Amino acid sequence: MVTADAPIDATTHGGRAKCLQRLVRLDLPVPRTVALSFEAVRRIAGGEMPDMGALLAPFGAAPLLCVRPSSEDPDWGGPGAVLNIGMNDARYAVLSAQLGRAAAAALYQRFVQAYAVHVARLDPDMFEDIGEDGPEGLAEVLRAYELETEEPFPQEPQVQLAEVLRSMARAWAGTTARLLRQAKGAPADAGLGLVVQAMAFGMGQGECGSGVMQLVNSQTGLRQITGRYLPQSQGRDALQGGDAALFLERDARGASLEERAPEAFAELKQHAGLMRARLREEMQVEFTIEDGQVHILDGVRVARSARAAVSIAVALAEDGIIARQEALMRIDPRSLNELLHRQIDPEEECDILAHGIAASPGAASGRIVFTAADAQASAARGEPCVLVRRETSPEDIRGMHAAVAVLTERGGMTSHAAVIGRGMGLPCVVGASDLTFDLRLRTLGAPDGRRFAEGDVITIDGTNGAVIAGEARMLEAAQGDAFQTFMAWADAERDIGVRANADTAADAQTARNFKAQGIGLCRTEHMFFETDRLTVMREMIFADASEDRRAVLERLLPMQREDFIALFRIMQGQPVCIRLFDPPLHEFLPSDRAGHLELAEALDLPLSDVTRRVEALGEYNPMLGMRGVRLGITVPEIYDMQARAIFEATIEASREGDPVVPEIMIPLVSAKREVELVKTRVDAVAAQVRTQTGRDFAYRLGVMVETPRAALRAAEIAPHVSFLSFGTNDLTQMTYGLSRDDAGRFMSTYVQQGVFPEDPFHTLDTEGVGELLQIAAERGRAARPDLVLSICGEHGGSPESIAFCRDAGFDYVSCSPFRVPVARLAAAQLALLEKHG
């Protein structure tokens, strides 16, 4: 029996059984209930039945019962409930006199059909042609059962209940059910409890019916009584009751339970409030009204969107029902993405064409375009567009800014489109290899044969990786008062810094809005792809002598200086870590003949000279070629210009606000001598600027650790720098010998077959790459105890990676601006777990 002091626990009897015990302890009107443990159900599945007489004894003579599943986690599911067990010809006659023949027949017919489908395993279609209700319909159902099974419907309640229990136990033990619940995160050996409960009819004389009630809106989390009530019904029929279902409280749109049965409504509202306060959760109440009397059949945690979950947690904490720390622990950090971006309405039926990798969360609809120029033209016309490319490159940045979403055929979680998309908050699906990308004909082919031309509308769901035909209905982002309060609580608990990767003023403003504690990575090369700067950059590349390069870069200096002034002013004295120029120069040059011709005209050079220069800069493996510090040493004028722009911007920005202390980061270091050479030139530029301006300033120099050798030689490098920031995208790529742009083609197979536990570009490899980080941290701090350590690759926003960084003693993590709230909450939860367990 489920009593106040019965030995019942969710781990032995399931969540439903435990909840019903809590309702009993609250003296709520719960029908008499017996709970069968996981072990008892396992024995039933194996053919060992309990003492049915003893099981039925608590319910008295001739009871009507229902059986419901009770798994440890409600999300794991279970077999469907069976109602009205115990109905037979004799009980039908008695209830006909008490409730009326129509109600009694409905109760009996419902049970016969459920028994036929779930126990006798008959095809539910056999009942579709039965058009009669009442006694005539019941007679037809009984005849159909007898005809199909070649035996009469069982009349003995003990037999009925035993067969229902056996059927539900075996259904849970079946292969299909096991695979389904494992897909929802359940362990393979998860147990099932069963709850046997006396029926509250919900049908008959007086006010009878059933329904569900909750005190909050499942989508918003705001206080609002929602649910439905259906007269003359059972179970959860009200949710499928259509126009016949009533609202609960008074509503201008139709009849309500409050008007029809005000006392029952008031009692239900009181019960729901008590459950919220005492169970410390927003609960959905399943109830039945029988001749005006309220029965509480069950209470389940209210289903909720992520935005509702935050509102609910904050409201419970502010009402003193739970502590703020518990409110923080109730929210999955990754679910915050739903609040930060527009999402497809979960009730929308979508025409899904294919799936790719969900590279940047959020959703958007727009017309297909195939080039960055077309995206800019579309934006100029005020038409939302989706940029479709095989893969994006730095040349596509302007098109990405103009588009509402990006779709690529190739790439993975750290490909160019994915990284830039996350930084911009732009929905992005990459690696959609099931689609056919024909850039020559400008069409997109779906696996089912449909073709979409330029201008056709599609929707990109970067949260789930879906590519959808047409325009989908959206839910807007939700960053209201509850969200701001919640994040302030998180900041009060966390003990590791969170910065943002930001390349533009817009990125920096987003980071500031999300309360980032500075910029941990500013990739300066993205500043050179604007039209007016790209031509100047190309002139510099074609210059042969140092003096000529310096002269051309003088034209970029004021532009770069203004970029940094904007960043410094937006961050208002918070640290800004600027990575010096990193990519190979060929990325700034056109790759086709038309582009070569256009460049020759712009530079007033023969086409042959342009072609030769482009070919000369080509490399077999450019990502391991002349880029990063290697470029800074062989073409030092670039770093000289950038250092001057940083220092002059520092002086200018410090005039109006808090003093700025910029951080200059050298990329792709692998040797101490590289740092010494760059540091010497940067210090020299700083001295020149101090002399020329008469103003003093401070700055910090550091290294971006992206090569295994830099990690291993950290003890040699650390004395020359103030910080080490680990670029885990490239470090993972070099440690594994994988191309992060191509690994998506086989990574899912590798993960499925257990080669890697997770995609190492998505979740930090704490064993291999992580060991390099730990080695570098230990050796670096041994050589320089005040060395600041951080991670600035895409792993910086991952809760698992933040856990690793905390354990390794890192000072902060840096991630895309839209992942900053995720990192802030994850860091708070880790601190709470360490503090309270």
Side-chain angles (χ1 to χ4, degrees):
M1 275 281 293
V2 176
T3 60
D5 55 359
I8 294 174
D9 191 86
T11 59
T12 57
H13 289 74
R16 174 172 270 129
K18 186 60 185 177
C19 182
L20 285 169
Q21 183 182 51
R22 290 171 174 154
L23 301 185
V24 169
R25 288 173 178 169
L26 296 177
D27 290 326
L28 294 180
V30 178
R32 186 166 299 225
T33 307
V34 171
L36 297 177
S37 69
F38 296 168
E39 183 55 37
V41 175
R42 285 193 185 99
R43 288 198 298 267
I44 291 171
E48 184 183 342
M49 297 303 296
D51 182 338
M52 298 306 298
L55 183 57
L56 283 167
F59 298 105
L64 284 194
L65 307 171
C66 70
V67 178
R68 290 186 172 90
S70 180
S71 56
E72 188 172 343
D73 186 328
D75 290 340
W76 296 349
V82 178
L83 311 183
N84 305 325
I85 302 165
M87 278 299 296
N88 54 24
D89 294 346
R91 194 78 171 110
Y92 170 57
V94 172
L95 290 179
S96 293
Q98 292 178 355
L99 309 178
R101 294 184 69 200
L107 294 173
Y108 197 178
Q109 182 174 336
R110 181 179 195 136
F111 175 50
V112 174
Q113 290 187 220
Y115 191 92
V117 172
H118 297 294
V119 178
R121 304 295 174 185
L122 303 184
D123 191 334
D125 292 348
M126 64 180 285
F127 300 113
E128 282 190 356
D129 295 333
I130 296 174
E132 297 290 335
D133 290 326
E136 295 81 6
L138 172 61
E140 283 192 56
V141 167
L142 286 169
R143 277 196 301 271
Y145 180 91
E146 187 169 344
L147 183 66
E148 194 69 25
T149 62
E150 299 181 353
E151 59 184 20
F153 187 76
Q155 297 292 302
E156 178 55 51
Q158 284 194 20
V159 172
Q160 294 175 354
L161 179 58
E163 291 303 316
V164 169
L165 294 176
R166 182 183 291 111
S167 172
M168 294 176 77
R170 288 179 175 174
W172 178 263
T175 302
T176 300
R178 178 173 52 80
L179 292 175
L180 284 173
R181 62 178 177 268
Q182 282 184 267
K184 298 175 182 177
D189 60 349
L192 176 74
L194 292 175
V195 168
V196 183
Q197 191 176 68
M199 282 296 304
F201 297 142
M203 304 180 76
Q205 310 297 324
E207 182 57 52
C208 295
S210 65
V212 295
M213 169 188 275
Q214 59 190 55
L215 302 180
V216 294
N217 183 297
S218 289
Q219 288 300 319
T220 65
L222 299 178
R223 302 288 291 172
Q224 177 187 359
I225 293 179
T226 62
R228 285 290 188 271
Y229 170 72
L230 183 64
Q232 299 297 319
S233 71
Q234 294 184 301
R236 302 175 74 85
D237 290 350
L239 296 179
Q240 286 83 39
D243 293 339
L246 279 59
F247 294 99
L248 296 179
E249 63 179 348
R250 295 178 189 274
D251 195 301
R253 293 172 292 175
S256 68
L257 176 62
E258 185 177 14
E259 296 165 300
R260 184 178 178 120
E263 292 181 2
F265 172 78
E267 185 179 344
L268 276 167
K269 190 175 176 181
Q270 181 181 4
H271 293 334
L274 179 63
M275 290 167 66
R276 176 181 186 266
R278 299 293 293 277
L279 301 186
R280 304 168 65 251
E281 182 58 280
E282 289 290 356
M283 303 293 288
Q284 184 184 81
V285 184
E286 183 177 338
F287 66 89
T288 293
I289 299 176
E290 185 178 320
D291 197 15
Q293 184 178 354
V294 173
H295 299 272
I296 305 298
L297 306 184
D298 198 9
V300 297
R301 181 178 177 273
V302 167
R304 64 202 69 183
S305 66
R307 65 189 69 199
V310 170
S311 294
I312 289 170
V314 170
L316 289 171
E318 290 182 332
D319 290 347
I321 295 172
I322 62 175
R324 291 180 177 181
Q325 290 80 1
E326 183 175 349
L328 291 171
M329 296 304 296
R330 287 190 174 192
I331 306 300
D332 177 3
R334 288 186 177 86
S335 72
L336 293 183
N337 282 320
E338 187 177 315
L339 283 75
L340 308 179
H341 305 272
R342 296 177 81 214
Q343 303 288 341
I344 295 175
D345 187 331
E347 297 182 2
E348 176 85 333
E349 291 187 10
C350 297
D351 180 7
I352 297 176
L353 301 174
H355 281 90
I357 297 171
S360 179
S365 302
R367 298 184 181 279
I368 296 172
V369 296
F370 289 92
T371 68
D374 288 341
Q376 290 177 283
S378 182
R381 296 191 301 269
E383 296 179 353
C385 66
V386 175
L387 179 60
V388 175
R389 304 285 289 160
R390 290 200 187 282
E391 56 190 338
T392 61
S393 69
E395 289 183 40
D396 294 311
I397 290 289
R398 287 168 292 166
M400 294 178 72
H401 277 285
V404 297
V406 174
L407 170 66
T408 70
E409 180 182 19
R410 302 170 185 154
M413 286 299 295
T414 55
S415 63
H416 179 269
V419 171
I420 302 305
R422 284 193 293 272
M424 295 166 54
L426 187 69
C428 180
V429 171
V430 302
S433 55
D434 288 343
L435 295 170
T436 303
F437 290 64
D438 192 327
L439 302 189
R440 184 178 62 84
L441 297 178
R442 298 200 171 197
T443 63
L444 190 66
D448 62 8
R450 284 183 287 174
R451 301 201 72 78
F452 295 81
E454 191 167 36
D456 290 341
V457 174
I458 60 173
T459 297
I460 299 300
D461 185 351
T463 303
N464 298 311
V467 182
I468 298 163
E471 183 173 356
R473 187 168 63 248
M474 300 286 177
L475 296 178
E476 295 302 320
Q479 301 162 33
D481 293 343
F483 173 77
Q484 301 300 336
T485 298
F486 185 79
M487 295 311 304
W489 295 349
D491 290 338
E493 299 293 341
R494 64 184 169 87
D495 54 10
I496 187 171
V498 178
R499 297 195 197 177
N501 302 340
D503 305 332
T504 65
D507 294 341
Q509 188 60 58
T510 301
R512 185 81 191 181
N513 294 344
F514 285 140
K515 305 294 192 298
Q517 296 170 284
I519 293 175
L521 172 62
C522 172
R523 292 162 287 218
T524 53
E525 60 270 10
H526 292 152
M527 300 172 175
F528 295 116
F529 282 98
E530 294 297 326
T531 305
D532 55 341
R533 305 179 188 197
L534 185 58
T535 301
V536 181
M537 190 67 186
R538 288 170 170 174
E539 284 186 46
M540 188 276 297
I541 293 171
F542 274 78
D544 292 322
S546 174
E547 296 77 13
D548 296 334
R549 285 193 292 271
R550 197 179 305 280
V552 176
L553 288 167
E554 281 293 323
R555 293 158 57 192
L556 283 176
L557 174 64
M559 303 177 192
Q560 186 93 113
R561 183 172 58 236
E562 288 303 313
D563 291 331
F564 296 142
I565 289 173
L567 291 179
F568 294 154
R569 284 177 175 166
I570 289 169
M571 298 316 295
Q572 300 174 14
Q574 290 188 329
V576 176
C577 184
I578 298 169
R579 183 180 74 182
L580 297 174
F581 193 88
D582 180 50
L585 292 177
H586 78 87
E587 288 193 3
F588 294 87
L589 299 175
S591 57
D592 57 8
R593 181 177 175 80
H596 294 170
L597 180 59
E598 184 180 338
L599 180 57
E601 292 173 348
L603 301 181
D604 193 23
L605 292 172
L607 178 60
S608 58
D609 288 358
V610 170
T611 303
R612 274 196 301 271
R613 184 65 169 161
V614 171
E615 290 175 351
L617 286 171
E619 296 177 284
Y620 287 110
N621 195 338
M623 299 316 291
L624 296 178
M626 197 169 78
R627 54 170 284 224
V629 68
R630 302 157 194 170
L631 189 61
I633 289 172
T634 55
V635 189
E637 298 81 13
I638 299 177
Y639 281 9
D640 289 350
M641 181 274 290
Q642 288 193 302
R644 176 173 289 274
I646 292 169
F647 297 141
E648 290 178 355
T650 298
I651 293 171
E652 183 62 31
S654 296
R655 293 181 195 276
E656 304 171 9
D658 296 330
V660 173
V661 180
E663 299 174 352
I664 298 175
M665 185 157 63
I666 310 170
L668 212 71
V669 165
S670 56
K672 175 187 70 171
R673 182 59 179 158
E674 291 172 324
V675 179
E676 292 174 341
L677 290 170
V678 173
K679 186 176 189 301
T680 298
R681 294 193 72 104
V682 169
D683 288 344
V685 172
Q688 292 171 10
V689 173
R690 288 190 182 105
T691 300
Q692 292 167 0
T693 62
R695 297 282 301 275
D696 195 17
F697 53 86
Y699 67 94
R700 290 189 282 268
L701 188 73
V703 160
M704 190 171 185
V705 180
E706 302 168 88
T707 68
R709 192 178 194 281
L712 295 171
R713 308 307 296 170
E716 293 179 357
I717 294 171
H720 300 277
V721 297
S722 299
F723 64 89
L724 298 180
S725 188
F726 294 86
T728 53
N729 300 348
D730 268 336
L731 186 57
T732 299
Q733 184 169 238
M734 294 188 190
T735 302
Y736 274 83
L738 286 174
S739 164
R740 66 188 188 187
D741 293 314
D742 299 317
R745 297 182 181 183
F746 59 85
M747 189 56 67
S748 60
T749 302
Y750 260 49
V751 172
Q752 288 169 6
Q753 298 192 18
V755 179
F756 303 145
E758 296 288 346
D759 181 341
F761 294 111
H762 189 216
T763 301
L764 180 67
D765 165 31
T766 56
E767 295 176 349
V769 178
E771 186 174 2
L772 284 172
L773 266 62
Q774 288 176 318
I775 290 170
E778 291 168 4
R779 293 179 181 178
R781 282 203 168 143
R784 179 167 184 165
D786 64 345
L787 186 70
V788 173
L789 299 173
S790 67
I791 183 174
C792 63
E794 278 302 301
H795 296 107
S798 161
E800 295 83 3
S801 305
I802 295 170
F804 175 86
C805 291
R806 284 185 75 255
D807 292 342
F810 281 40
D811 296 280
Y812 70 86
V813 298
S814 189
C815 55
S816 302
F818 281 90
R819 299 181 82 182
V820 165
V822 175
R824 289 162 61 195
L825 177 56
Q829 290 182 348
L830 290 164
L832 287 170
L833 283 171
E834 187 174 283
K835 197 181 302 182
H836 303 290

